[in-house]
Amino acid sequence: MELKRVVVTGLGTINSIGHDSKETWENMIKGVSGAGPITNFDASKFKTKFACEVKNYDPLKYFKKPEARKLDKFTQFAIIAADEAVKDANFNFDQINPDRAGVIWASGIGGLQTFKDEVVEYVENDYTPRFNPFFIPKMIADIAAGHISIKYDFRGPNYATVSACASSSHSLIDAYNLIRLGKADIFVTGGSEHAVTEAGIGGFNAMRAISTRNDDPKTASRPFDIGRDGFVIGDGGAALVLEEYEHAVKRGAKIYAEFAGGGMTGDAHHITAPHPEGRGAAMVMKVTLEDAEMTPDQIDYINLHGTSTGLGDIAEPKAVLDVFGEHAYNLSISSTKSMTGHLLGATGALEALASVMAIKTGDIPPTINLFELDPNIDSKLDFTFNKTKHREIRAALSNTFGFGGHNASIIIKKFE
């Protein structure tokens, strides 16, 4: 069968460096760090006292008070990001078949804050089982997709993808595949996360996975730097509207870029550590190129997973060299997590948004906070350290890798 073309027609986000996609992109190309002291709870007893929280967030700006109380913050972020993306896509809802419009939304964890609050209240009330009737529908990871579909009356495929830090890349790939197979015309897709909570910070501290650079939070996320000591957790969400090409053209949609390919693999190595030679990472980039029917020399930019962890930051560049060979030295590559922090299940969608904007503007967002490159990393690779660069970008590849060995990559290319 002839596969349909898929294009990007809407963008939306809320995160630590912006409350919308315009503000986010402006700060990204300026190299702004979103890290700062935790305000969501008293972190004084924790090893890590900072994160990339959404700054100055007031739910009542977006929701009525009774509604906000029924929504975990990860769902609030989902609705906010999706609403911006849908408005950006500029739909005439009378001309959309709601049975062919769907929502695939990701979260690596879901309602962690809600779960913690309910358990604490249960214990503090002498184990009296008086749980909030909204406990379960606030907590479950799929509920954000449900809320978005209800809001827009999108009655097509509607579900969640959960694969740790690869979650929202998987949501994008699923949406892309369903559209190109002719199963739907439109998807609102992406991911959201709210893990800057006592349980989130405490759990990642116990794993020794996150930075403890409390004296200098803004430089704590330092991918590929020899002094890195873990990633920085970020909150927020990001959404893309993916649309079948002819459907978009027929309604006169603004087209940002074309979604060209997606790939998924498993490391089959370790529950939290990547394969040291980047085996799964290399394979997922290879199958993504095959899916897009593109060759390595057609890629100009890679948005790396680049989390600022000891093992991952060494394995991923090895995988890039394995896949791209000599062309790797012609690539511009960067880790935008150096600015936004790591949004866990939402990170793939935010980095897809960054890749779309890089193609549209020709700006390569930087990898900030490089002080001294790890000698185990090839210094001839262009990591776009500390300063934005401008170049034509024909196509961008974006990587996301999750605990459990889940790997996902996507390719977005200039629309022609």
Side-chain angles (χ1 to χ4, degrees):
M1 65 177 293
E2 183 179 353
L3 297 174
K4 307 285 189 179
R5 292 174 69 185
V6 181
V7 294
V8 181
T9 57
L11 301 173
T13 185
I14 182 168
N15 60 79
S16 65
I17 63 170
H19 283 213
D20 56 41
S21 54
K22 182 176 183 290
E23 183 184 18
T24 296
W25 183 244
E26 288 174 351
N27 283 328
M28 202 172 273
I29 60 175
K30 290 177 185 175
V32 173
S33 169
I38 291 171
T39 61
N40 188 52
F41 63 92
D42 180 3
S44 60
K45 295 181 180 179
F46 288 77
K47 294 177 182 176
T48 296
K49 300 172 176 57
F50 64 93
C52 285
E53 293 179 307
V54 176
K55 308 290 187 301
N56 303 313
Y57 177 66
D58 178 7
L60 299 184
K61 179 182 176 183
Y62 304 96
F63 308 98
K64 293 180 180 179
K65 191 172 183 179
E67 183 185 11
R69 291 178 62 186
K70 298 174 185 177
L71 303 171
D72 187 273
K73 200 180 282 187
F74 96 95
T75 301
Q76 294 178 19
F77 292 153
I79 293 169
I80 293 165
D83 192 53
E84 184 193 352
V86 169
K87 287 176 180 174
D88 189 35
N90 195 29
F91 292 125
N92 179 343
F93 286 92
D94 293 335
Q95 297 176 347
I96 290 175
N97 180 353
D99 295 331
R100 292 186 58 81
V103 181
I104 305 176
W105 198 264
S107 185
I109 300 175
L112 189 61
Q113 182 74 54
T114 295
F115 190 91
K116 171 259 174 186
D117 289 346
E118 290 293 321
V119 171
V120 167
E121 188 169 345
Y122 172 60
V123 172
E124 289 180 347
N125 285 284
D126 296 323
Y127 299 93
T128 302
R130 294 176 182 170
F131 288 91
N132 190 308
F134 290 100
F135 173 29
I136 300 302
K138 280 180 69 174
M139 177 197 71
I140 51 180
D142 65 296
I143 203 66
H147 277 289
I148 295 166
S149 72
I150 291 166
K151 181 170 184 176
Y152 301 108
D153 192 33
F154 284 178
R155 302 196 293 263
N158 177 248
Y159 60 94
T161 54
V162 180
S163 48
C165 305
S167 297
S168 54
S169 291
H170 280 130
S171 74
L172 295 171
I173 293 167
D174 278 8
Y176 161 67
N177 282 330
L178 286 168
I179 293 172
R180 67 174 177 164
L181 288 170
K183 305 293 185 183
D185 299 325
I186 296 164
F187 272 101
V188 176
T189 182
S192 57
E193 205 79 85
H194 171 48
V196 183
T197 66
E198 292 97 324
I201 297 296
F204 283 112
N205 269 157
M207 294 176 64
R208 299 182 181 178
I210 56 176
S211 173
T212 57
R213 199 179 298 277
N214 297 302
D215 59 335
D216 193 7
K218 289 191 178 300
T219 70
S221 182
R222 47 177 73 186
F224 315 110
D225 187 272
I226 193 170
R228 66 193 183 279
D229 70 332
F231 70 86
V232 178
I233 295 181
D235 271 350
L240 282 73
V241 172
L242 300 188
E243 190 167 352
E244 193 273 321
Y245 163 68
E246 291 182 0
H247 187 277
V249 170
K250 186 176 180 180
R251 71 177 186 86
K254 169 182 78 243
I255 295 175
Y256 281 100
E258 182 167 359
F259 199 110
M264 302 174 279
T265 67
D267 265 17
H269 171 67
H270 189 273
I271 59 169
T272 57
H275 189 276
E277 298 302 317
R279 180 177 65 188
M283 181 56 67
V284 78
M285 287 187 277
K286 289 175 183 177
V287 299
T288 303
L289 286 163
E290 290 170 6
D291 186 61
E293 298 183 344
M294 296 176 71
T295 55
D297 64 313
Q298 292 178 288
I299 303 296
D300 293 318
Y301 170 56
I302 300 178
N303 189 300
L304 298 167
H305 188 55
T307 57
S308 185
T309 55
L311 298 176
D313 284 9
I314 293 173
E316 190 175 10
K318 286 182 180 179
V320 169
L321 287 163
D322 180 14
V323 174
F324 289 89
E326 284 299 313
H327 180 62
Y329 300 115
N330 300 321
L331 292 165
S332 292
I333 59 181
S334 69
S335 169
T336 49
K337 288 184 183 71
S338 58
M339 296 173 280
T340 64
H342 191 348
L343 273 68
L344 308 179
T347 201
L350 182 56
E351 288 154 22
L353 185 153
S355 298
V356 168
M357 291 304 298
I359 290 170
K360 183 176 183 291
T361 64
D363 290 316
I364 305 292
T367 306
I368 66 170
N369 298 329
L370 187 281
F371 300 94
E372 182 181 352
L373 183 67
D374 187 323
N376 295 299
I377 298 171
D378 193 329
S379 62
K380 292 184 290 183
L381 292 169
D382 180 8
F383 288 94
T384 323
F385 282 128
N386 297 322
K387 187 177 180 181
T388 295
K389 294 183 180 179
H390 191 81
R391 64 173 288 181
E392 181 185 7
I393 306 168
R394 298 165 297 167
L397 183 147
S398 182
N399 287 330
T400 44
F401 313 131
F403 285 173
H406 312 302
N407 307 309
S409 293
I410 63 170
I411 292 175
I412 296 169
K413 67 181 182 180
K414 189 181 290 288
F415 172 70
E416 297 178 357

